[in-house]
Amino acid sequence: MAYTEQAVTSGLSMDLAFSSKNVIEDFLKLEYQEGLRNEFSVMEALINKLSKDTISGKKKYKAFALGITDNVRAMGASADRYELGFDQFFNKGVETVEAEFDTVKLMATFAVTDEAILKGTGDGSLLDVVKDSLDRMQMNIKHTLQRFTYGSRAGKIGLVTGNLVFKSLANVSGAGPNYARGEEHNAYYSGKVAAPAVLEFEMGNSHSVLPGMGLLIEGLASDGSTKVARLIGRIWQKSNAGIHQEKVLFIVEKAFAKASATNTWEAAAIPSATISKGSNVFTVYSRQIVDDGAIQPEYTGLDDILVTNDSKIFGVDRAIFTSLQNTKLNLGGTQYLTEEILRDMADHIMLTSPEATGINLVASTHRIISSVERALYQFKQYSLDAGAAGFQLGGRADIKFDNFTLVKDKYARDNNVYMLDTAKVGELVRRDFTWITNGEKEGVLQRRPGTELYEGIMNKYADMYLDAWRAHAVILNAKTPGVGESVSWDQSVREVRVVNTAAAPVITDEVV
């Protein structure tokens, strides 16, 4: 019996259909997606300190009672004979309010060019050449999720604290605007397109934005009237040359004005002169996918849940059901966060909240938590180790105070202090980040028509939800120390002492 001997192979084999694009797609599907999820689950973010819940149906509903049912009666001595009927119970039940929770869709994009694939294939570093793009997308996702936690459904980020100053950028050797950075860019811009309108301003919560991020600024039009205008563009740079002072350089791409006759947004000329803030208010919003002056909804963050607690949220109007409003204390920018304030608020929450709730986490900006930290230095543990390089204080990144932890978070808003029961507020997830495939062999990359660009899109469905309304509180507008000032607590007289260490040692007392 004749037979033909055939070679036997083991392990992985590649057919002629193999391509560099397939390798990248396999990496994105198998390695990157899972690594991304793992990294999100351990990153130091408030969202990961809160509870998690999943939703499988269309929406999630939960009924919150406005009180208890008074259905226990003392009927007399044990030997008494009586008949018990519903007429003995005056309160037949308790009113409830139903909240409706749903998710919003988040999307993130990844792009790689033919050139990058070609270079990576040629020198054997195919996956390394896409790492920068993946890192940028990963940074964007992490940054956005951390910002969303403290934000609002309307996408509001902060307020402009000064004038809107339009910068005139000088040319480089007469070639083009120097913002382009590079001879090839300057050559392109020279005589081809006009230099962009660059706006410089300072804003609250500027740590919540990054260069490259799109913003929408809403305020008065350039004529100084009450007419509302919206400027749309992206952050070019951020300047951090001064301590606790950050200026945003913003490239204006479009402008809109609201027509008084139709009350609709219409395209307008981009202003060129400085707009004085004066008593006017300029609000900064994140710019979403719509570019016509509209604002797309974002997460229902802590700004909606705690700060604006007389509004309608999750289908419940708290202006009507006032018993569901959480506690707010406004320090007006004149008082520091002190031990007494923390204790009073925590005690108040314990007395007024439902059973089995209690504050276990306090989050605020670095400067506010640092002021508490400096005031508590006298209570910090320390060690005198002869073998150490020097005197070592036993400090920690987080501060333990009574039953809760004080956390420094760069994404906290408006000098607010957020006091949370982390088991009663969290993230509702319908589906975590996953790649959207194009239907062709489960590929995640598609070529943009007419370009050498391959693009992939990830999406996630999530939002925040509540398990208890009054289990949390917020302290608004806490005072922050000036540069060089340190804050300590005099436990004997209950005063805040501010020491100006920038100049001569002058001690002033401020009774709180």
Side-chain angles (χ1 to χ4, degrees), residues 191-244:
K192 293 191 176 181
V193 296
V198 177
L199 190 64
E200 181 183 78
F201 59 89
E202 296 180 34
M203 61 170 285
N205 312 319
S206 59
H207 294 111
S208 294
V209 297
L210 292 175
M213 180 177 170
L215 296 180
L216 182 150
I217 303 172
E218 182 179 83
L220 296 183
S222 57
D223 59 8
S225 69
T226 57
K227 182 173 59 177
V228 176
R230 284 178 172 175
L231 304 177
I232 289 179
R234 58 185 172 85
I235 300 175
W236 168 33
Q237 297 181 66
K238 289 202 303 180
S239 173
N240 303 284
I243 298 179
H244 304 319

Side-chain angles (χ1 to χ4, degrees), residues 31-45:
E31 302 290 339
Y32 184 72
Q33 180 173 296
E34 191 62 31
L36 194 66
R37 290 175 180 169
N38 292 338
E39 183 163 350
F40 286 158
S41 65
V42 299
M43 71 178 179
E44 279 296 317

Side-chain angles (χ1 to χ4, degrees), residues 9 113-114 151 164 168 184 293 346 361 375 384 398:
T9 59
T113 63
D114 277 338
L164 301 176
S168 176
E184 70 279 6
L361 185 143
L384 292 172
D398 297 332

